[in-house]
Amino acid sequence: MNINHIIKTRENFINLINGLSLDQINQIPKGFNNNIAWNFGHIVVTQQIICYKLSGLPLLVEEDLVEKYKKGSKPEGPISEKELENLKILALSSLENLKNDLLIGSFKEFKEYTTSFGVTLTNIKEAIEFNSAHEGMHLGYAMAQRRMVTQ
């Protein structure tokens, strides 16, 4: 399985973030219920849940990040520069781990899961395919939010 498209999406997300101030990243634009920081944290956490948790493997991110960015959560306060830098590192390192875990065959089981998109995932390949679309959608949200916070 090739995850290069997910890596590219995350690099694009990091480039988007790097072009903004912390205040802009934390701003919730009119018409949205979240911000760029939340969308970024959400993609990191969701990939861990749908790839690792559903495969019965330990997550590579801390439980407090899962709680803060999982589906159904929303920003409870501004993200700090330190947490943002940590998310940038995790965004790329977690994909390196995924690539390595795929190579060594770590994903042996999978708990079937139907996403909020109505897509049922039955194996790691489907989870990675769905994750790619999910991350692209959230990058699109962040791009729209960037337009609103830089006006």
Side-chain angles (χ1 to χ4, degrees):
M1 273 168 280
N2 189 334
I3 64 165
N4 289 336
H5 49 289
I6 301 171
I7 293 168
K8 189 64 183 164
T9 299
R10 291 203 180 175
E11 288 171 348
N12 288 335
F13 217 133
I14 290 168
N15 287 336
L16 182 150
I17 288 168
N18 287 343
L20 298 171
S21 70
L22 193 58
D23 284 343
Q24 289 170 321
I25 292 163
N26 280 303
Q27 183 181 339
I28 299 175
K30 185 175 173 52
F32 288 88
N33 61 4
N34 56 44
N35 55 27
I36 294 169
W38 184 88
N39 278 286
F40 187 56
H42 178 69
I43 65 165
V44 173
V45 163
T46 299
Q47 179 267 322
Q48 288 291 295
I49 292 169
I50 66 172
C51 293
Y52 285 84
K53 186 174 184 180
L54 294 178
S55 296
L57 298 172
L59 303 185
L60 306 173
V61 298
E62 301 86 14
E63 187 59 37
D64 62 320
L65 285 180
V66 173
E67 287 303 309
K68 190 170 184 178
Y69 297 110
K70 69 183 180 183
K71 180 174 71 173
S73 66
K74 62 184 194 320
E76 299 296 337
I79 188 173
S80 68
E81 189 69 49
K82 182 178 179 192
E83 184 176 340
L84 184 60
E85 290 306 313
N86 182 46
L87 280 173
K88 288 178 190 177
I89 292 165
L90 281 172
L92 298 176
S93 67
S94 63
L95 292 181
E96 279 303 310
N97 284 316
L98 176 62
K99 194 186 301 185
N100 292 335
D101 288 337
L102 286 165
L103 282 173
I104 63 172
S106 296
F107 299 97
K108 297 186 184 341
E109 49 187 80
F110 195 89
K111 182 180 181 224
E112 187 174 295
Y113 175 73
T114 302
T115 71
S116 54
F117 283 40
V119 175
T120 300
L121 308 176
T122 62
N123 59 51
I124 189 61
K125 183 178 185 294
E126 292 173 355
I128 290 170
E129 288 170 356
F130 173 78
N131 186 71
S132 181
H134 178 259
E135 293 198 14
M137 180 191 73
H138 281 281
L139 176 59
Y141 282 147
M143 291 167 75
Q145 291 173 327
R146 174 182 60 189
R147 280 193 294 278
M148 296 183 80
V149 302
T150 57
Q151 290 179 347

